[in-house]
Each structure stands twice: as structure tokens, then as C-alpha cells.
Amino acid sequence: MDLRELVDLRVRDGEQAAPGGAPAVVAGVSVGGERSTAVRGAALAPDSCFRIASLTKAFTSTALVRRMRENGVALDTPVIELLGDLAPDWRADTGLTVEQILGQVSGLRECVEASDAAALGEGPEALHEAARLVVRGGNERAPGTRWSYYNGNYFLVGAVLAALGGASYETVLRRDLLGPWNLSRTGFDAPRDPVAGRDGGRELPSRDYPRPRRPSGGLWSCVPDLLALGEGLLADRELLDRVRRPRTAPDDPMAYGLGWALGPSGQMYLNGRLPGYRTAMLLVPDKDLVSVALAAEQTALPLLARLLSDVQYPFTGDDLGAAVDAFAA
């Protein structure tokens, strides 16, 4: 069954859970660099831009790991050494490392809400001040002892990327990753032709994503750019090995690397959720497989998860539908 048939099959299945009708979906697969795409929905194209929510973390993580390698900075460097101006407000464990915040094993107290970050405004210091709030909250447990998904970790990640790159987070991401990897349809500003998000078929008004939260979920992107991100990771084996090495313990809720959940056969996956949008991405590095699915319907995650599980199943024999759907983005 080819990708278009799989998309049609899963969208038909998903229609039962979508009271507003079939969701708009764009999906893509790359195997050894050979791509195929499928579109389901009026007025959509293979490169239509969606909000990708927490798939943004894969861009942020990739950019920071590359920047640290370029600067000769080890992943086990304590964060406080790279954000020294936050020291007067630092209540977190001073041994907290960059790979622990990237790997969601920081043990930080999850006390900074989305509204707290948004209240910091849109100025050039907003992200840095969000990072200050995070470390001011201190640790709930020792770093490295337990996996827990917390967007505050990625406020810190974005601040570290900005510090190492000597410019704003957005500028460094564009200069270090989006530009060199030709990800021309990916960015924080709404594109000229955005796909509108929907809830049960009802179109939702477009809202800006708060600047302090951008490293955790603020990007717009499209299937070709997401496939290119995955292909870029697979082509740089040293980078890939750094990103996909588990940072979690055997008894953690899931196996997790740097920005990616890890499957039983070495799969890397994540999903994203914002009002009106659902997204999912899955890689099988040892089979040179990259897959992604984007939907403009917030009830669509189960069908996207099922679709990507179907795509990778012939390569691994694993059923990952429930895992991709349940991932805590």
C-alpha cells in the first residue's frame, strides 16, 4: 500500500472521530532520500505550512547540539556556566547539564506556566527572562533521576543556544540550521498562505505564539522541510548518535534522547499539539526512514499516529500507534 492509500485509509478511519468532517492532512515519507508525499484536503499542497507545535523541539535540539559541537562545548557542561548572568537568581541544582535539559531529565520544579512566560512580552529579553523564571523555581528532584516533560527545559535550551551563538534564539536558529539546511518554509512568522487550524471542523482564529515559549513550540513548517530536517540528521551520523542516545533510566516513563522519544527498534518520534493543529514525526535511522504527518484539526492525532506507525511497521515489525499518540507533547 503506498502513502496516498495509507493516508486515505487512516483519514477515513479518523472521520468517525472528526465531527466536522475529514481533517486536512499532508504526509511525507523519505526512504534513503527518495521522497513521496500525500495530500488530503481542499486547497492544500505538499508544502502547505502548518503550526508544528512541539516538533519545534527537534529543530531547537538539533541546532544546539550542532552549535555546541562547533564551539567545542561538551553536552555535560553545567547550564549555569553558559548562563552565568542568571547566577544571582539560580535556585536550581548547579550541576544541571545541557544534556539533562535537552533530555527532559532536569528534575526542575515545573512551576513556570505558559501564561507566566507569555506575560514577559515580546521584547528581545523575553526568552532570557523566561529562563530566569525556570531556574528561580529550583529543583524538585536531582537532575538525571527521572524523565518528566516540561516546556521550561526548552526555555533554557533556547537561552543557551542564544548565548553560544551570540545573538537572539531566532537569529541563531535561522543562521545555524534553517539557512544551511535550506529550510526556507520554516520560521516563526506566519507564512503568506498558512493553513488555518480547526476544532471539529470549526476554524479557529489565528493567534501569535508568545516569544518566550518559541524554543518549545513556536514554528510554522511544512512536510518538505521536516523531511529535510530528518534527512539532515540521518546524514550526520555523529550528530545523530549524540541526539538518539538514551538519557533516561530503564524505569522511566519512556526512553528519551535529546528532543526525541525512542522506540524499541531505535525509532525516534514525537508529536505536537496546539489548538487547531496536530503533528507527528517518526524516524527509523537504521533504515534511513523519515516520516511526518501534519493535520489542521485538533482531533486528528490518533490517525496521524496510526499512519506513521503503518509507515514504519514493514521496517521494524513494531506497532507504535499508541506510543506516538500518547507522547506527552
Side-chain angles (χ1 to χ4, degrees):
M1 187 178 296
D2 68 16
L3 181 61
R4 290 178 180 83
E5 292 173 325
L6 278 175
V7 169
D8 285 344
L9 173 64
R10 291 308 170 197
V11 169
R12 286 197 300 272
D13 290 346
E15 283 177 342
Q16 299 176 6
V25 176
V26 182
V29 175
S30 170
V31 183
E34 294 291 326
R35 295 183 182 182
S36 59
T37 59
V39 177
R40 176 71 183 258
L44 288 181
D47 66 345
S48 291
C49 283
F50 296 69
R51 286 196 182 276
I52 62 168
S54 283
L55 269 60
T56 300
K57 291 182 175 70
F59 290 83
T60 303
S61 175
T62 300
L64 180 55
V65 176
R66 292 180 80 238
R67 172 48 51 193
M68 294 183 73
R69 182 176 66 180
E70 180 71 20
N71 287 18
V73 180
L75 286 167
D76 62 358
T77 300
V79 178
I80 196 171
E81 293 183 10
L82 304 175
L83 298 176
D85 65 305
L86 298 185
D89 295 288
W90 200 278
R91 302 293 179 268
D93 192 305
T94 56
L96 174 65
T97 69
V98 175
E99 66 182 333
Q100 287 168 340
I101 58 173
L102 281 166
Q104 302 279 11
V105 291
S106 66
L108 288 164
R109 184 170 289 106
E110 299 175 18
C111 59
V112 180
E113 303 289 342
S115 58
D116 299 324
L120 296 171
E122 299 297 309
E125 295 300 317
L127 172 58
H128 203 71
E129 292 309 306
R132 190 184 305 276
L133 289 180
V134 171
V135 299
R136 188 181 286 163
N139 270 70
E140 184 174 346
R141 63 182 70 88
T145 57
R146 186 71 172 169
W147 181 89
S148 184
Y149 194 92
Y150 176 36
N151 281 327
N153 285 314
Y154 273 71
F155 304 165
L156 279 175
V157 170
V160 171
L161 179 60
L164 288 176
S168 70
Y169 159 73
E170 296 91 343
T171 297
V172 178
L173 185 70
R174 184 170 58 251
R175 186 191 68 205
D176 283 12
L177 185 66
L178 304 184
W181 286 19
N182 296 314
L183 307 176
S184 60
R185 294 276 284 168
T186 300
F188 293 104
D189 295 329
R192 64 183 180 277
D193 52 352
V195 177
R198 307 181 77 84
D199 178 12
R202 177 177 60 90
E203 185 171 321
L204 300 180
S206 179
R207 293 187 174 90
D208 291 335
Y209 197 84
R211 188 173 186 184
R213 298 177 56 201
R214 283 179 176 177
S216 69
L219 284 171
W220 291 86
S221 192
C222 62
V223 163
D225 278 13
L226 286 157
L227 292 178
L229 176 72
E231 291 164 350
L233 275 169
L234 298 188
D236 187 337
R237 304 306 288 192
E238 182 190 23
L239 175 65
L240 175 67
D241 288 344
R242 293 184 185 204
V243 169
R244 69 172 175 170
R245 180 169 63 82
R247 267 60 174 199
T248 42
D251 62 345
D252 268 318
M254 66 172 56
Y256 198 82
L258 302 184
W260 296 85
L262 306 174
S265 298
Q267 301 97 330
M268 300 162 58
Y269 65 90
L270 66 166
N271 69 33
R273 313 177 197 192
L274 278 175
Y277 301 93
R278 292 294 184 266
T279 62
M281 188 170 180
L282 187 150
L283 281 60
V284 186
D286 295 337
K287 303 299 182 181
D288 285 328
L289 171 68
V290 181
S291 60
V292 62
L294 309 177
E297 170 54 65
Q298 65 185 44
T299 63
L301 186 55
L303 79 86
L304 300 187
R306 183 72 265 156
L307 170 63
L308 296 193
S309 182
D310 290 346
V311 168
Q312 62 83 49
Y313 184 83
F315 296 87
T316 68
D318 299 327
D319 184 346
L320 286 183
V324 176
D325 183 23
F327 177 66

